[in-house]
Amino acid sequence: MSQLQINEVAPRDGLQIEARFVPTADKIRWIDDLSATGLARIEATSFTSPKAIPNLADAAEVVVGIQRRSGVEITVLVPNLKGCERALACGVDEINLVMSASDSHGLANLRMTPEQSLAQFETIVAKAQGSGVFVNASLSTAFGCPFEGDVPQERVLALVERLLGLGIQGVTLCDTTGMADPAQVGELCRAVTARWPQTPFTLHFHNTRGMGLANALAAWQAGITRFDAALGGLGGCPYAPGATGNVCTEDLVHMFERMGVATGVDLDALLAVSAKLPDLVGHATPGQVVKAGKADRRYPMPQRG
Amino acid sequence: MSQLQINEVAPRDGLQIEARFVPTADKIRWIDDLSATGLARIEATSFTSPKAIPNLADAAEVVVGIQRRSGVEITVLVPNLKGCERALACGVDEINLVMSASDSHGLANLRMTPEQSLAQFETIVAKAQGSGVFVNASLSTAFGCPFEGDVPQERVLALVERLLGLGIQGVTLCDTTGMADPAQVGELCRAVTARWPQTPFTLHFHNTRGMGLANALAAWQAGITRFDAALGGLGGCPYAPGATGNVCTEDLVHMFERMGVATGVDLDALLAVSAKLPDLVGHATPGQVVKAGKADRRYPMPQRG
């Protein structure tokens, strides 16, 4: 196993806020291209209501249509029991539940308080039990809420404990709107890895204020080896206008590989997929390595007149 | 003294590669605005040949015209003995010499090998001695050369030793084209601070591949407290097309202040100066906090229909 496991979330977290629908066949081809780069995990879609997220209305076709490769887990977001049933019927490796750590973000994003989310998770976990499907939960606003502000670390730890108590197997701590700083990240990551050393924690950063890679570095220094990231830095948050997106997968892979930390990802192949992304989504993307080239890129000496 | 000292380099490293000349009066007003934010140091201009860098042809007028504030050191780049004489005549606090750690970058950028630069520095240091002006040297390509590739750490350490042997008082280690990664940064910074604990080392990062803040974090963890940065993330490298600029001052200040590391900078005042930067230079800038707002920004709850 590589030292890091990267979960590519652009097909879900990226596409869900795009202005236009990406045709199902293009999505499938794109996810297949991503699968071939050696990513550990791909969050392929969300089994949500087509009314809520029209861009992902083709969830079942996408999951059934993509090639399955050994070593690449397919995970999907499920917002409720019906979504769980639909996802299980398609044969996924993992389901990812989502709740907020703060009341107001939960109400704004999911129309549920954290307590209501936890109650619903109980029924979803019961449904998934025995299926062999890994159950992960993403905890939004774990580093701060764009409506309420600070989210105390004790609150996050208490929610993680509740999640694990429900039988959830992995937890993703999400910096949903890019509020986290490296000191805060280090502190929370050390706290969770010390208290639950056997639990797979994933960190989900946004690059809203330029700190995405610095936060990933701080998390890794604190023992975290699993990261969400989005190709090209796609994504964002509808409640935080002006914000740039998720931490960029190829920039994250590039940094860690330069540091000598193996990600298992073929960076050149990933960059080739990223180079085609502006055509897929119809706009430029914020990722930087795809524009500047890898750090080992050599330039010709300038000619003097 | 604050925990960090920030050296604002946009007036020199930023403006030098801009497509258009910023009028002298605008430069002076801008630098005065920057001075008022609490920055420790401002690299105000370069006393280079007006033919080489027409954008900075007004070096003397700028230095003479700006307000001098207690606590804000004014430093200027000097490329040769004549530039040193001109700078000293204007009454600066610091002169900053520049050389490359790699032969090909030195020849491309300065028309001098490192050996030739060192020989010239000897005459400049002799000229500056007794003036009370602090003599700093910036070592370009200290983390890699865009033409040659890797620059061994032993080479960098040997050049630092030579610089200090000449009587140079401070050294800036420059990641000129954004090739450094946090592991490499930590290693070199630990090496220099261990070997020369009394020497003020400054780190100069570019955000070419998105690693600017992660590298600054790694440098700070290794004991570095002085950073170059450019307002708005201005700057770049003429030999590395496609590259984004210097690490962005306000994004750097924002990160460290969020971490509880005092920079002495009034971030709101700095963001106000950054907000006017696109008008000054005639294009959008890559800085992110000025667009997204600080991490403590609160959003109104969305209204549900």
Side-chain angles (χ1 to χ4, degrees), chain A residues 180-199:
Chain A
D181 69 76
Q184 182 190 15
V185 168
E187 209 179 313
L188 182 57
C189 291
R190 285 189 297 272
V192 298
T193 53
R195 188 153 158 194
W196 297 286
Q198 302 306 318
T199 301

mmCIF file of all heavy atoms in Angstrom, chain A residues 180-199:
data_model
loop_
_atom_site.group_PDB
_atom_site.id
_atom_site.type_symbol
_atom_site.label_atom_id
_atom_site.label_comp_id
_atom_site.label_asym_id
_atom_site.label_seq_id
_atom_site.Cartn_x
_atom_site.Cartn_y
_atom_site.Cartn_z
ATOM 1 N N ALA A 180 -9.822 26.415 7.915
ATOM 2 C CA ALA A 180 -8.803 25.787 8.772
ATOM 3 C C ALA A 180 -7.427 26.396 8.535
ATOM 4 O O ALA A 180 -7.090 26.804 7.426
ATOM 5 C CB ALA A 180 -8.742 24.289 8.497
ATOM 6 N N ASP A 181 -6.634 26.439 9.598
ATOM 7 C CA ASP A 181 -5.221 26.795 9.458
ATOM 8 C C ASP A 181 -4.380 25.619 9.939
ATOM 9 O O ASP A 181 -4.878 24.740 10.645
ATOM 10 C CB ASP A 181 -4.902 28.069 10.239
ATOM 11 C CG ASP A 181 -4.986 27.860 11.732
ATOM 12 O OD1 ASP A 181 -4.061 27.251 12.310
ATOM 13 O OD2 ASP A 181 -5.987 28.277 12.342
ATOM 14 N N PRO A 182 -3.096 25.595 9.571
ATOM 15 C CA PRO A 182 -2.274 24.424 9.886
ATOM 16 C C PRO A 182 -2.142 24.106 11.381
ATOM 17 O O PRO A 182 -2.053 22.931 11.750
ATOM 18 C CB PRO A 182 -0.907 24.786 9.286
ATOM 19 C CG PRO A 182 -1.219 25.730 8.162
ATOM 20 C CD PRO A 182 -2.396 26.532 8.641
ATOM 21 N N ALA A 183 -2.170 25.124 12.227
ATOM 22 C CA ALA A 183 -2.058 24.838 13.665
ATOM 23 C C ALA A 183 -3.300 24.103 14.152
ATOM 24 O O ALA A 183 -3.214 23.094 14.865
ATOM 25 C CB ALA A 183 -1.863 26.142 14.439
ATOM 26 N N GLN A 184 -4.456 24.589 13.727
ATOM 27 C CA GLN A 184 -5.725 23.965 14.105
ATOM 28 C C GLN A 184 -5.815 22.546 13.544
ATOM 29 O O GLN A 184 -6.266 21.612 14.224
ATOM 30 C CB GLN A 184 -6.844 24.846 13.531
ATOM 31 C CG GLN A 184 -8.242 24.418 13.839
ATOM 32 C CD GLN A 184 -9.264 25.213 13.028
ATOM 33 O OE1 GLN A 184 -8.906 25.879 12.043
ATOM 34 N NE2 GLN A 184 -10.519 25.144 13.419
ATOM 35 N N VAL A 185 -5.377 22.383 12.307
ATOM 36 C CA VAL A 185 -5.407 21.057 11.663
ATOM 37 C C VAL A 185 -4.529 20.081 12.428
ATOM 38 O O VAL A 185 -4.936 18.955 12.730
ATOM 39 C CB VAL A 185 -4.939 21.170 10.196
ATOM 40 C CG1 VAL A 185 -4.675 19.790 9.601
ATOM 41 C CG2 VAL A 185 -5.980 21.925 9.365
ATOM 42 N N GLY A 186 -3.309 20.523 12.751
ATOM 43 C CA GLY A 186 -2.407 19.640 13.489
ATOM 44 C C GLY A 186 -3.013 19.202 14.807
ATOM 45 O O GLY A 186 -2.970 18.020 15.172
ATOM 46 N N GLU A 187 -3.624 20.160 15.487
ATOM 47 C CA GLU A 187 -4.191 19.870 16.802
ATOM 48 C C GLU A 187 -5.339 18.853 16.722
ATOM 49 O O GLU A 187 -5.358 17.860 17.451
ATOM 50 C CB GLU A 187 -4.708 21.195 17.392
ATOM 51 C CG GLU A 187 -4.675 21.254 18.894
ATOM 52 C CD GLU A 187 -5.177 22.629 19.368
ATOM 53 O OE1 GLU A 187 -4.720 23.649 18.816
ATOM 54 O OE2 GLU A 187 -6.034 22.649 20.271
ATOM 55 N N LEU A 188 -6.277 19.083 15.796
ATOM 56 C CA LEU A 188 -7.418 18.168 15.689
ATOM 57 C C LEU A 188 -6.970 16.786 15.194
ATOM 58 O O LEU A 188 -7.436 15.754 15.687
ATOM 59 C CB LEU A 188 -8.504 18.754 14.773
ATOM 60 C CG LEU A 188 -9.773 17.904 14.618
ATOM 61 C CD1 LEU A 188 -10.424 17.605 15.971
ATOM 62 C CD2 LEU A 188 -10.792 18.589 13.701
ATOM 63 N N CYS A 189 -6.039 16.775 14.245
ATOM 64 C CA CYS A 189 -5.592 15.476 13.720
ATOM 65 C C CYS A 189 -4.846 14.681 14.789
ATOM 66 O O CYS A 189 -5.030 13.457 14.898
ATOM 67 C CB CYS A 189 -4.716 15.691 12.480
ATOM 68 S SG CYS A 189 -5.650 16.300 11.056
ATOM 69 N N ARG A 190 -4.011 15.362 15.556
ATOM 70 C CA ARG A 190 -3.331 14.641 16.644
ATOM 71 C C ARG A 190 -4.345 14.113 17.651
ATOM 72 O O ARG A 190 -4.209 12.997 18.167
ATOM 73 C CB ARG A 190 -2.304 15.555 17.329
ATOM 74 C CG ARG A 190 -1.031 15.774 16.501
ATOM 75 C CD ARG A 190 0.061 16.496 17.307
ATOM 76 N NE ARG A 190 -0.338 17.832 17.723
ATOM 77 C CZ ARG A 190 -0.174 18.936 16.993
ATOM 78 N NH1 ARG A 190 0.380 18.866 15.795
ATOM 79 N NH2 ARG A 190 -0.560 20.108 17.460
ATOM 80 N N ALA A 191 -5.384 14.890 17.915
ATOM 81 C CA ALA A 191 -6.400 14.464 18.887
ATOM 82 C C ALA A 191 -7.134 13.212 18.414
ATOM 83 O O ALA A 191 -7.319 12.266 19.190
ATOM 84 C CB ALA A 191 -7.389 15.602 19.148
ATOM 85 N N VAL A 192 -7.546 13.178 17.148
ATOM 86 C CA VAL A 192 -8.320 12.020 16.683
ATOM 87 C C VAL A 192 -7.449 10.778 16.493
ATOM 88 O O VAL A 192 -7.883 9.661 16.811
ATOM 89 C CB VAL A 192 -9.140 12.309 15.397
ATOM 90 C CG1 VAL A 192 -10.173 13.401 15.641
ATOM 91 C CG2 VAL A 192 -8.266 12.630 14.202
ATOM 92 N N THR A 193 -6.222 10.982 16.003
ATOM 93 C CA THR A 193 -5.379 9.795 15.795
ATOM 94 C C THR A 193 -4.925 9.215 17.131
ATOM 95 O O THR A 193 -4.727 8.006 17.250
ATOM 96 C CB THR A 193 -4.157 10.118 14.907
ATOM 97 O OG1 THR A 193 -3.458 11.239 15.445
ATOM 98 C CG2 THR A 193 -4.575 10.426 13.482
ATOM 99 N N ALA A 194 -4.772 10.075 18.148
ATOM 100 C CA ALA A 194 -4.392 9.562 19.474
ATOM 101 C C ALA A 194 -5.553 8.790 20.094
ATOM 102 O O ALA A 194 -5.363 7.736 20.701
ATOM 103 C CB ALA A 194 -3.975 10.727 20.381
ATOM 104 N N ARG A 195 -6.768 9.308 19.922
ATOM 105 C CA ARG A 195 -7.919 8.713 20.615
ATOM 106 C C ARG A 195 -8.462 7.490 19.889
ATOM 107 O O ARG A 195 -8.937 6.547 20.523
ATOM 108 C CB ARG A 195 -8.999 9.800 20.733
ATOM 109 C CG ARG A 195 -10.154 9.416 21.582
ATOM 110 C CD ARG A 195 -10.796 10.639 22.188
ATOM 111 N NE ARG A 195 -12.169 10.377 22.576
ATOM 112 C CZ ARG A 195 -13.046 11.329 22.885
ATOM 113 N NH1 ARG A 195 -12.683 12.604 22.842
ATOM 114 N NH2 ARG A 195 -14.272 11.012 23.245
ATOM 115 N N TRP A 196 -8.397 7.528 18.541
ATOM 116 C CA TRP A 196 -8.928 6.405 17.756
ATOM 117 C C TRP A 196 -7.870 5.946 16.761
ATOM 118 O O TRP A 196 -8.023 6.131 15.527
ATOM 119 C CB TRP A 196 -10.201 6.843 17.022
ATOM 120 C CG TRP A 196 -11.317 7.236 17.935
ATOM 121 C CD1 TRP A 196 -12.102 6.407 18.672
ATOM 122 C CD2 TRP A 196 -11.793 8.575 18.197
ATOM 123 N NE1 TRP A 196 -13.028 7.134 19.384
ATOM 124 C CE2 TRP A 196 -12.874 8.462 19.109
ATOM 125 C CE3 TRP A 196 -11.425 9.849 17.763
ATOM 126 C CZ2 TRP A 196 -13.568 9.579 19.591
ATOM 127 C CZ3 TRP A 196 -12.118 10.955 18.237
ATOM 128 C CH2 TRP A 196 -13.169 10.820 19.137
ATOM 129 N N PRO A 197 -6.787 5.352 17.242
ATOM 130 C CA PRO A 197 -5.666 5.025 16.353
ATOM 131 C C PRO A 197 -6.026 4.013 15.263
ATOM 132 O O PRO A 197 -5.339 3.946 14.243
ATOM 133 C CB PRO A 197 -4.605 4.472 17.310
ATOM 134 C CG PRO A 197 -5.323 4.095 18.557
ATOM 135 C CD PRO A 197 -6.512 4.993 18.654
ATOM 136 N N GLN A 198 -7.076 3.244 15.448
ATOM 137 C CA GLN A 198 -7.438 2.221 14.459
ATOM 138 C C GLN A 198 -8.422 2.742 13.410
ATOM 139 O O GLN A 198 -8.691 2.061 12.419
ATOM 140 C CB GLN A 198 -8.055 0.989 15.142
ATOM 141 C CG GLN A 198 -7.152 0.326 16.170
ATOM 142 C CD GLN A 198 -5.780 -0.028 15.611
ATOM 143 O OE1 GLN A 198 -5.655 -0.507 14.497
ATOM 144 N NE2 GLN A 198 -4.724 0.259 16.392
ATOM 145 N N THR A 199 -8.973 3.902 13.629
ATOM 146 C CA THR A 199 -10.007 4.410 12.722
ATOM 147 C C THR A 199 -9.380 5.135 11.539
ATOM 148 O O THR A 199 -8.515 5.986 11.731
ATOM 149 C CB THR A 199 -10.934 5.386 13.478
ATOM 150 O OG1 THR A 199 -11.526 4.684 14.568
ATOM 151 C CG2 THR A 199 -12.013 5.952 12.563
#
